[in-house]
Amino acid sequence: MAGILNSHTTSNGTAEPLSLVGEAVAKACEEYTKRNPESLKAYNDSCHHLPGGNTRTVLHSSPFPLTFDNGSGAALQDLDYNIYTDFLGEYTAGIYGHNNAAIQAAVKGALDDGVNFGGNNRFEKQLAKTVCERFAPTMELVRFTNSGTEANMCAIATAIAWTGRAKILVFEGAYHGSTIMFPFGGKGTEMNLPHEWVVGTYNDIPKTRSLLQSLPPDSLAAILVEPMLGSGGAVPGSRDFLQFLRHAATARQALLIFDEVMTSRLSYRGRGHALGLRPDLMTLGKWVGGGMSFGAFGGRADVMALFDPRTGPLKHAGTFNNNVVSMAAGVAGCGILDEATVDGVNAVGMLLKGKVEGVLCRCGVADRGVGGASVEGEQNGWRGGEVERCSMWISGIGSILNMHFGGPERELLQELFWHHMLREGIYMAQRGFVALSIEITVVHVQMFVDAVEKFVVGYAALFRRGS
């Protein structure tokens, strides 16, 4: 273990001393391994049957992931009986917490009455009415899927069928599902569907205008955009940028698709509506299905009429599109998340963000992006840009946030921060992503803020380097 702590092997096989940050991460990993023997055993066992012990890439973490045994409210317990406050919220799908009584009752009731009917059920009509009314005026007609990935796949296919064109404008840093992702730097797109993607720069109107002007006439089917980059670092899209996309799509007779799988929870009627913008189509994800397997796409009635089995040419299959568990849970969940509750969870998120910003500024480690990270900042961070000073900031809106680090060792700092927060009893994504549930209170917020301050103070020497 001493060798692991004091050096690492380079690509040419030689040993190099670890940096101060590297040493801190190695020590944190060693302590983590000692604290979590049962999770380590579960991980090693799973490697016999799953590649890398994993069936969902985002859940892998270094040196190995925790395995959870149960959850209640905002709390999670792992196999080693460690208890954490959950600030990850199943990457936004778990907004209800871990055992909401109303959703449990809805699911149990649906199961008691039988499943897999092979026909329509009473819940799907109720959920469709709820979704269309909630996300009016955009959602004139809706269809259900099993995930946000499926919803975006269907929305793209709809645009191609409607326009008779092939090109889809998307943006670097966007994540629209497991087969529609465009990470910063362009790596990791091997699983993408083989559409004619055109990749632009998020929040940059001049570059996007130039890119659109470079396309052949009548070639653009759709512009697919998140009103806030989610997996790309919780970077809000500016209203001016999103409004420009609305005008650009209209001028080219293309469809504007808002991917609101995540952002639809940032206000009662979705982020687009809060900005006063109306896309042609929008997509939704699992929280609308009560946290179960669920997705939805919909919008303009004339476009969605393509799927009318009485008159339309498009067929959209899916055995579990209307499964009674997701339909019943969705009806219950949308009832729980009334306007006051949605406003409340997002207010708690803004409280957390403001308090963290205060800590970072007071401790002198805040850098660019405080109050709302720029895409340029995110790109520099992901690409190892030219920022030399170690820094830390928080981005996002309401209940969806992201902790970031800058500097040449930003990835190591991010990993070190994750291990520190676990020691403080806080579970979040290793990449810094945070999504609050309605079970998170101001007491939990203060716990998070105190843990951040403890990290900044405890590792002050690392932030002073390069300043």
Side-chain angles (χ1 to χ4, degrees):
M1 185 60 72
I4 295 175
L5 289 174
N6 296 319
S7 66
H8 74 281
T9 302
T10 64
S11 58
N12 62 12
T14 61
E16 276 187 1
L18 287 175
S19 66
L20 288 177
V21 181
E23 288 180 358
V25 170
K27 182 179 179 181
C29 287
E30 183 179 16
E31 293 173 351
Y32 174 91
T33 302
K34 290 178 179 177
R35 283 199 317 274
N36 298 288
E38 292 302 316
S39 282
L40 176 58
K41 181 179 183 300
Y43 170 68
N44 288 334
D45 289 345
S46 67
C47 286
H48 293 298
H49 307 288
L50 296 166
N54 181 271
T55 191
R56 183 183 175 194
T57 302
V58 73
L59 299 184
H60 181 74
S61 54
S62 178
F64 57 88
L66 297 174
T67 295
F68 292 105
D69 181 68
N70 62 81
S72 178
L76 285 168
Q77 181 175 290
D78 66 20
L79 293 181
D80 293 284
Y81 301 100
N82 300 306
I83 296 176
Y84 303 93
T85 300
D86 182 9
F87 278 84
L88 180 53
E90 186 56 290
Y91 292 87
T92 73
I95 193 169
Y96 304 100
H98 294 292
N99 56 355
N100 184 277
I103 291 178
Q104 284 185 330
V107 170
K108 184 178 185 301
L111 292 173
D112 287 346
D113 289 339
V115 297
N116 297 347
F117 297 156
N120 295 341
N121 63 73
R122 67 182 186 274
F123 300 114
E124 67 196 84
K125 302 166 183 62
Q126 188 176 351
L127 183 57
K129 181 175 185 291
T130 297
V131 168
C132 287
E133 290 178 349
R134 182 174 190 137
F135 296 106
T138 294
M139 197 69 85
E140 295 177 348
L141 291 172
V142 66
R143 287 185 75 92
F144 299 142
T145 67
N146 294 282
S147 68
T149 299
E150 282 189 23
N152 283 313
M153 289 167 56
C154 290
I156 292 168
T158 303
I160 292 172
W162 177 258
T163 62
R165 304 169 184 172
K167 294 188 184 298
I168 310 295
L169 175 61
V170 292
F171 297 92
E172 191 175 21
Y175 177 86
H176 302 289
S178 59
T179 58
I180 318 170
M181 61 177 79
F182 305 92
F184 290 115
K187 296 181 180 180
T189 61
E190 294 82 3
M191 292 285 288
N192 277 0
L193 295 168
H195 288 301
E196 292 187 26
W197 306 112
V198 180
V199 183
T201 303
Y202 195 75
N203 267 350
D204 192 316
I205 294 176
K207 286 184 179 178
T208 304
R209 180 184 291 114
S210 177
L211 182 60
L212 286 168
Q213 290 172 345
S214 73
L215 299 179
D218 301 325
S219 64
L220 185 67
I223 300 173
L224 174 61
V225 64
E226 297 169 274
M228 177 177 76
L229 293 181
S231 296
V235 180
S238 72
R239 189 187 185 284
D240 287 346
F241 175 68
L242 297 172
Q243 180 70 70
F244 166 78
L245 297 182
R246 173 66 280 176
H247 291 323
T250 301
R252 289 161 178 79
Q253 295 184 313
L255 297 187
L256 177 64
I257 306 168
F258 275 2
D259 176 351
E260 294 231 38
V261 168
M262 289 188 177
T263 60
S264 53
R265 50 175 275 170
L266 295 179
S267 65
Y268 182 70
R269 300 189 187 279
R271 180 65 180 164
H273 186 274
L275 293 171
L277 300 174
R278 183 177 178 180
D280 300 295
L281 298 174
M282 70 183 296
T283 58
L284 303 169
K286 296 176 184 67
W287 79 258
V288 181
M292 304 295 138
S293 295
F294 179 85
F297 68 102
R300 283 170 41 186
D302 58 340
V303 176
M304 293 302 293
L306 291 172
F307 294 97
D308 188 329
R310 300 167 299 181
T311 58
L314 298 186
K315 294 178 173 60
H316 168 225
T319 302
F320 285 97
N321 287 351
N322 67 331
N323 77 86
V324 294
V325 172
S326 295
M327 299 297 101
V331 171
C334 288
I336 294 164
L337 286 184
D338 57 19
E339 191 160 5
T341 304
V342 171
D343 289 347
V345 69
N346 286 298
V348 171
M350 293 309 292
L351 175 68
L352 186 153
K353 183 183 180 187
K355 283 179 172 287
V356 168
E357 286 176 344
V359 167
L360 301 182
C361 290
R362 187 169 65 251
C363 294
V365 301
D367 206 341
R368 66 188 186 283
V370 172
S374 68
V375 171
E376 289 78 8
E378 301 313 308
Q379 290 170 330
N380 283 338
W382 260 262
R383 294 170 178 166
E386 299 182 358
V387 179
E388 294 184 359
R389 180 181 182 275
C390 293
S391 58
M392 187 174 178
W393 71 98
I394 185 170
S395 66
I397 302 170
S399 58
I400 304 176
L401 305 166
N402 210 111
M403 301 295 303
H404 301 273
F405 291 84
E409 296 183 291
R410 58 162 297 279
E411 291 183 358
L412 284 173
L413 283 168
Q414 196 91 58
E415 184 177 348
L416 182 62
F417 178 70
W418 181 73
H419 282 289
H420 166 82
M421 296 301 273
L422 288 177
R423 288 197 303 271
E424 297 298 311
I426 291 170
Y427 182 67
M428 58 188 291
Q430 192 164 27
R431 69 181 188 225
F433 189 79
V434 167
L436 305 187
S437 76
I438 59 176
E439 298 287 347
I440 295 293
T441 68
V442 293
V443 174
H444 297 127
V445 165
Q446 193 59 50
M447 178 196 309
F448 189 100
V449 174
D450 290 345
V452 170
E453 183 163 14
K454 188 174 179 179
F455 176 82
V456 173
V457 172
Y459 291 103
L462 302 182
F463 288 98
R464 285 196 295 269
R465 295 171 67 243
S467 61

